[in-house]
Amino acid sequence: ENIDKRRSKFKKKYPIEYRIVEREHDDYIYVIITCHEKIIEQCAEERDFDVPIDPKEAILYAKRYCKEFILAQRTYLETPKHAPNPDAEKYKQGKNDALYKKDLDDYHFIVNDNQNFATGQNVMDEAEDDHDGDEEKSALLHEPLPTGQAYVDGKPFQLIPAHKWENIHIEYEPVLHNVNINIYKEPANTRTRHPVTSAISHVLYLRVLYEILTDDAELDGANWKIEEMLSDKQNPLLKFFALHQQEMLPLTQQEFHRFKCVAFQW
């Protein structure tokens, strides 16, 4: 009875999908296990999985909506050489394309932000209520600053370059990944049916799915003892492995062969 309750809870919490495949002239039965993307994202959120951010999108979001986030306010984004071109291939509907409007809005925001840095209008004081030396500070603000600098407490400050935000990971939150806001980096390999590309890569997808299958029932998992099942000669399970995408195989092999292998003599 307790086992049935646990299974029922598991199916309701993280429902998985499976397909049984039998092939002619083959002694094996294959069971393909998968899980809907939304369920994987739900699990990633509840279990605090970290995913990489897109530096530019994260910086822009913080600059616009998190004024108290000093790190973002003191980060410098390079001004694009040109404004977005509505005739570019990635904009399917030209000036009416939502992506074009976003890119154009981002372009104007970055240009304006950098102009404010250069002219001293973006003053980021350590203490807002400290009015000492206001006259000296006001005089300094009229002096243009070099690219990548701003005034902090009346003195020139070297801003943080955007590349310092590379490889930063934060917990996955759906509120930061939707059609209006998306600060997560688009994975090089992802499975998605969303209007917004999923932030969950194939590797992370498999990791989350594996945890769902192997975690204890008390943790809302399926409580599969994979190692025990494989070592049990009476158990029909012979192999448990990730099913690769055939179309990704040439690219994977190409990337693999870029690395040099060193043979060690033992």
Side-chain angles (χ1 to χ4, degrees):
E1 183 180 352
N2 290 333
I3 294 177
D4 290 339
K5 287 182 178 179
R6 289 177 181 178
R7 287 176 177 170
S8 176
K9 181 181 179 182
F10 164 73
K11 291 179 181 178
K12 184 177 181 181
K13 184 73 173 180
Y14 303 123
I16 60 172
E17 303 169 14
Y18 66 90
R19 180 180 179 184
I20 299 175
V21 180
E22 295 184 66
R23 300 192 302 178
E24 288 188 49
H25 312 297
D26 197 332
D27 296 332
Y28 303 106
I29 296 176
Y30 301 88
V31 181
I32 302 173
I33 302 171
T34 185
C35 192
H36 194 278
E37 187 174 75
K38 281 291 188 182
I39 304 301
I40 294 293
E41 291 178 349
Q42 173 192 341
C43 183
E45 176 196 8
E46 294 174 352
R47 301 186 179 209
D48 299 329
F49 277 88
D50 290 339
V51 294
I53 64 168
D54 182 299
K56 179 183 175 183
E57 295 299 328
I59 293 167
L60 285 171
Y61 177 81
K63 280 178 175 288
R64 284 181 169 121
Y65 308 112
C66 306
K67 298 298 183 182
E68 72 282 359
F69 190 4
I70 301 300
L71 179 65
Q73 304 306 328
R74 294 184 181 180
T75 297
Y76 177 79
L77 284 167
E78 291 284 346
T79 303
K81 294 181 180 179
H82 307 287
N85 181 0
D87 296 326
E89 290 186 10
K90 69 174 183 176
Y91 305 127
K92 297 179 181 178
Q93 300 177 19
K95 292 185 178 181
N96 294 323
D97 192 278
L99 179 59
Y100 169 75
K101 293 178 181 178
K102 177 189 177 303
D103 287 351
L104 185 63
D105 186 44
D106 289 347
Y107 170 80
H108 288 305
F109 181 89
I110 294 172
V111 169
N112 183 65
D113 195 52
N114 290 342
Q115 286 177 345
N116 290 340
F117 279 141
T119 58
Q121 295 181 50
N122 278 4
V123 184
M124 299 170 293
D125 296 336
E126 297 288 354
E128 296 293 339
D129 56 348
D130 185 3
H131 300 289
D132 294 339
D134 279 350
E135 294 181 2
E136 179 183 354
K137 193 179 300 183
S138 298
L140 280 171
L141 295 183
H142 293 289
E143 299 180 11
L145 285 172
T147 299
Q149 291 190 9
Y151 285 106
V152 177
D153 290 334
K155 299 177 182 179
F157 174 83
Q158 188 65 43
L159 295 167
I160 302 165
H163 70 81
K164 295 291 186 182
W165 288 62
E166 292 287 347
N167 300 316
I168 292 179
H169 292 61
I170 64 172
E171 293 178 2
Y172 178 77
E173 296 284 350
V175 295
L176 299 176
H177 179 247
N178 52 63
V179 293
N180 299 314
I181 299 169
N182 182 19
I183 71 168
Y184 296 111
K185 186 174 183 179
E186 180 177 329
N189 54 346
T190 184
R191 46 182 290 161
T192 186
R193 297 170 185 165
H194 293 347
V196 179
T197 302
S198 177
I200 307 297
S201 67
H202 276 303
V203 174
L204 184 57
Y205 174 95
L206 292 171
R207 179 184 163 195
V208 176
L209 179 57
Y210 185 82
E211 282 204 9
I212 291 175
L213 295 173
T214 59
D215 269 359
D216 293 338
E218 289 76 8
L219 299 175
D220 297 319
N223 201 30
W224 285 14
K225 307 296 184 182
I226 302 297
E227 298 300 326
E228 294 180 12
M229 294 164 69
L230 289 172
S231 61
D232 184 358
K233 300 300 182 181
Q234 302 300 317
N235 195 294
L237 181 64
L238 297 177
K239 297 289 183 181
F240 186 83
F241 56 92
L243 185 64
H244 69 266
Q245 288 181 294
Q246 190 66 31
E247 65 272 16
M248 293 293 293
L249 190 57
L251 179 61
T252 304
Q253 291 175 333
Q254 179 183 345
E255 290 296 316
F256 179 80
H257 291 309
R258 288 176 57 238
F259 294 94
K260 294 182 179 180
C261 297
V262 179
F264 292 94
Q265 299 295 329
W266 295 95

